[in-house]
Amino acid sequence: MSLLRVSPLAGLLSAALLLTGCFNEADKTPEKSADQRLRLAMLQPPRSGLTPLSDDAFKLSRWSTAETLVVLDKLGEAQPALATNWQQTGNNRWRFELRSGVKFHDGSELDATTVVNALTVAASAAPKPRILDGVQLTAEADGQMAVIVTTAQPDPLLPQRLSSPQLAILSQKAYSAEGTVNPLHTGSGPFELVQVNGTSSARLERFAGYWGERAKASGIDVSFVPDGTARGAALRTGAADIVEAIPVSQAPLLDQRLIHEVPMPRTNTLYLNTKSGVMQDAAMRAAVRDAINRQQLVDNVYEKRADVAKGLLGPALPWAAELRQPVSDPVTAAKPAGETITLATFSDRAELPEVAVYLAQQLTTAGFTVNQVVREYSQIESDALAGKFDAFILSRATVLDSGDPVAYMYSDFACKGSFNIAQLCRPEIDQALQKAAAIPAGNARREAIMQAENLILATDAAIPMLHERVIQGEAADIRDAVRDPRERTLINAATQRMVQAD
C-alpha cells in the first residue's frame, strides 16, 4: 500500500477546512469534472489496515467493494448475496448454496473453497471478529458450489450473523500465511479497491466484471476527515459529494436540502443501579423516570435532531413501535426528599456531558441532590460496570452485527450480562431473553423481543431518553446514495453524480 501519495480530494478537503467561515451566500460550488467519480469524506480513518476482521470491515462494506454471503433487509431478515439459498439441515448445521458466475477483482472465481477459507480465517483469528464472540464456527465444502457451516451450539440467527461485514468473502489471495488480510484487488463488489494511502485516502474503480448491476459511477475517491468542521465545509464548498456523520453543530450552517437525517439503532439511556444505593428502591427509580424531560434534551442538546424515546428500540427498527405494549401497573414514584445520588457519564461523545447537565437540573427540581462525574470512557467504564454510580448515561447501540437486539439486551439486562451497568437480575427477564434467542428470525422473534423489552422497562433500571440520528451530507446532484441505519452501505452500484451538460 502506498503511504505517500495524497488524493486530490484530500487536498480539496484541507482547503475547505482552511476556508471555513470565509464564505457567504455568494459562494459558488466549484466547477465539477465531467468524470462521474464520487468524492466521499469519511469520519474515521482505518484503524487496522482495512482488514475485514476488524471494524474497518464496515468501510469496505460502505464502499461496496467487499461482499458477504447474505445481506439484511429493513426488518433485519437475511436476503441473498453471494449465497443464493440456505437451509438448516440440523440443530447446528446450515447449508449455503453459492452464486455462480461471481468473479473477484483479481480474476479468480467464487467457489466453496474460497468461502471455507474466508470463514475459517475469521473463526480462528485472534482476536475474533466481534460478530463471532462466543461462537464456535466451522465451515466445510459440500461440492464446488455449496458450503456447510456448523456451530457448537444451535444458532437460529446464523444467516444474519453471516451478513456482518466482518465475515466478508475475499479471494484467497487476500489472506497471507502470517494472518494478515489485504482487501486490495480481492473483493467482489461493483467497486474495486485499488489504492490505500495510509490513513489519509483511498481510491476505488468501477469493476467491469461485477456479477450484478454495473456501477453507474466510474469510481470513488475517499478521504478520511476526522474533523467535523472540515467535513461540513467540504459539503458546503463542493469539495465532497457525499459526507459521512456531519456533527449536529455544523448542520445549521449548511444548506438544509443537502443534509439527510438517518435514524440510528442507538439509544441514549439512563442506567440506574438496582443493587446498591438510593436506586435499589424501585419507587426512587420511578421518581427518576417521572422527572426526565426528554423533549428538553432533544431540543436543547441535539437541536431537535433526535427522537424522543418511548422504549429501548427506536425508529431505526420500524417494527418495534408497532409491537410495543405499555408497561402495566408501573411503580408509583416516591418523593426524593433531598436524597443524594451520583450521576456519571463520559466525555468521548460530545453531547453526553451536556445531557448530564440538563438531567442534573431536572433531577434537582424533582427533589434529588445530584453530584456529577464526567471522565473519558476508558477511565470510567470499569467503575460503571462495578456499580459505583447511582445513575449512568450511556449512548448504546441496540442492534449489534447480526441486525438483532437480543445480544444487546442480554449483555445489558441479563443476570450474567457482560455489560450490566444497572446490576439488574430478574429471572423473568432472563427467561424472556432466552425464549427470544431460541426463536428463528421473523415476527415471532420480534414479538418475543418486545415482551422482553416490556419486562425491562417495568423495572425502571434503564430509562431510554432519546434515539440518535446520523446526519449524512449529499451534494444536490447526487442520486441514490444509501441512507442505511446500520451504516453498512453508503455507496452502491446505483449511486451516481448527475453531471450537467455544457
Side-chain angles (χ1 to χ4, degrees):
M1 297 185 185
S2 170
L3 298 176
L4 299 176
R5 181 182 170 191
V6 178
S7 75
L9 176 55
L12 282 169
L13 289 169
S14 298
L17 177 56
L18 291 172
L19 293 171
T20 299
C22 299
F23 290 84
N24 55 36
E25 293 302 320
D27 296 345
K28 293 184 179 180
T29 300
E31 187 174 329
K32 294 179 179 177
S33 165
D35 182 17
Q36 292 184 318
R37 296 184 66 80
L38 301 172
R39 299 168 300 168
L40 169 62
M42 299 196 78
L43 167 62
Q44 293 180 333
R47 295 178 177 177
S48 304
L50 286 176
T51 172
L53 304 180
S54 71
D55 281 348
D56 285 353
F58 289 83
K59 292 179 175 59
L60 304 177
S61 174
R62 285 169 78 71
W63 302 337
S64 289
T65 187
E67 298 183 304
T68 50
L69 292 176
V70 300
V71 294
L72 299 181
D73 63 16
K74 292 182 179 179
L75 291 177
E77 296 184 4
Q79 301 296 324
L82 295 182
T84 55
N85 294 286
W86 50 89
Q87 60 180 339
Q88 190 169 5
T89 59
N91 286 338
N92 301 16
R93 288 167 56 90
W94 293 74
R95 184 177 187 271
F96 292 82
E97 296 180 15
L98 305 181
R99 186 178 299 275
S100 61
V102 174
K103 286 189 176 181
F104 292 99
H105 300 151
D106 62 9
S108 62
E109 295 188 3
L110 176 73
D111 60 14
T113 301
T114 306
V115 173
V116 168
N117 179 68
L119 295 181
T120 300
V121 169
S124 58
K128 281 186 178 181
R130 184 177 59 208
I131 188 64
L132 294 181
D133 281 349
V135 176
Q136 295 180 359
L137 176 151
T138 58
E140 59 181 311
D142 184 20
Q144 186 174 357
M145 295 301 291
V147 171
I148 302 292
V149 180
T150 304
T151 54
Q153 302 295 327
D155 187 356
L157 279 192
L158 182 66
Q160 283 80 358
R161 195 179 300 281
L162 294 179
S163 76
S164 170
Q166 293 183 327
L167 298 183
I169 308 300
L170 302 181
S171 75
Q172 293 195 58
K173 291 182 181 178
Y175 305 91
S176 74
E178 293 75 29
T180 60
V181 186
N182 185 350
L184 280 170
H185 310 291
T186 57
S188 62
F191 293 100
E192 178 182 357
L193 181 62
V194 299
Q195 187 176 35
V196 178
N197 302 303
T199 58
S200 63
S201 64
R203 182 178 177 87
L204 298 96
E205 302 289 351
R206 178 167 53 207
F207 178 49
Y210 183 54
W211 60 266
E213 176 188 355
R214 180 178 185 267
K216 292 182 178 178
S218 61
I220 309 171
D221 294 317
V222 182
S223 280
F224 305 111
V225 189
D227 186 278
T229 302
R231 291 198 306 282
L235 181 67
R236 181 180 168 190
T237 62
D241 300 308
I242 302 174
V243 178
E244 185 183 57
I246 292 174
V248 168
S249 61
Q250 290 294 306
L253 307 178
L254 300 170
D255 184 338
Q256 299 302 292
R257 295 170 297 179
L258 306 185
I259 60 177
H260 306 275
E261 298 178 25
V262 183
M264 298 296 294
R266 178 174 287 278
T267 302
N268 192 312
T269 302
L270 181 65
Y271 290 76
L272 300 179
N273 189 338
T274 63
K275 189 175 181 180
S276 62
V278 174
M279 294 302 150
Q280 285 184 94
D281 185 345
M284 284 295 181
R285 298 198 298 273
V288 172
R289 175 199 68 205
D290 291 352
I292 294 175
N293 183 339
R294 295 168 172 83
Q295 193 66 55
Q296 185 184 56
L297 300 176
V298 168
D299 291 349
N300 295 341
V301 180
Y302 289 83
E303 300 184 25
K304 299 184 179 180
R305 299 182 187 276
D307 297 291
V308 169
K310 294 182 171 60
L312 297 170
L313 307 179
L317 283 73
W319 50 266
E322 300 170 3
L323 297 174
R324 180 173 291 118
Q325 297 295 322
V327 172
S328 59
D329 301 320
V331 173
T332 301
K335 293 183 179 181
E339 291 279 7
T340 298
I341 61 173
T342 300
L343 171 66
T345 193
F346 52 98
S347 56
D348 304 56
R349 298 184 72 90
E351 298 85 4
L352 296 189
E354 192 174 354
V355 170
V357 170
Y358 277 95
L359 273 184
Q361 293 172 351
Q362 293 172 5
L363 295 173
T364 299
T365 300
F368 289 98
T369 300
V370 182
N371 297 321
Q372 294 186 56
V373 175
V374 178
R375 304 181 206 143
E376 291 182 5
Y377 186 77
S378 61
Q379 298 173 357
I380 204 168
E381 181 191 54
S382 60
D383 284 349
L385 291 173
K388 294 187 178 181
F389 308 115
D390 298 294
F392 192 82
I393 305 166
L394 183 68
S395 175
R396 181 69 162 129
T398 58
V399 174
L400 304 182
D401 293 344
S402 65
D404 182 83
V406 170
Y408 140 73
M409 288 182 167
Y410 188 89
S411 175
D412 287 28
F413 306 113
C415 292
K416 294 184 179 179
S418 61
F419 205 73
N420 194 341
I421 291 175
Q423 314 294 309
L424 184 65
C425 185
R426 300 286 189 277
E428 65 273 19
I429 292 174
D430 278 23
Q431 291 169 10
L433 291 173
Q434 290 164 6
K435 175 184 175 182
I439 300 173
N443 197 57
R445 185 182 179 97
R446 291 191 285 270
E447 290 178 351
I449 289 169
M450 296 312 293
Q451 291 170 6
E453 185 205 59
N454 188 277
L455 292 173
I456 294 166
L457 294 176
T459 68
D460 292 317
I463 301 175
M465 297 183 292
L466 58 93
H467 306 295
E468 297 180 15
R469 305 174 191 163
V470 67
I471 303 173
Q472 182 168 307
E474 301 169 19
D477 54 3
I478 289 295
R479 300 291 182 270
D480 297 317
V482 183
R483 300 164 191 167
D484 180 11
R486 298 188 187 95
E487 297 187 292
R488 293 184 173 195
T489 310
L490 180 60
I491 293 172
N492 64 13
T495 310
Q496 62 181 312
R497 179 160 56 86
M498 306 300 290
V499 178
Q500 296 181 351
D502 294 335

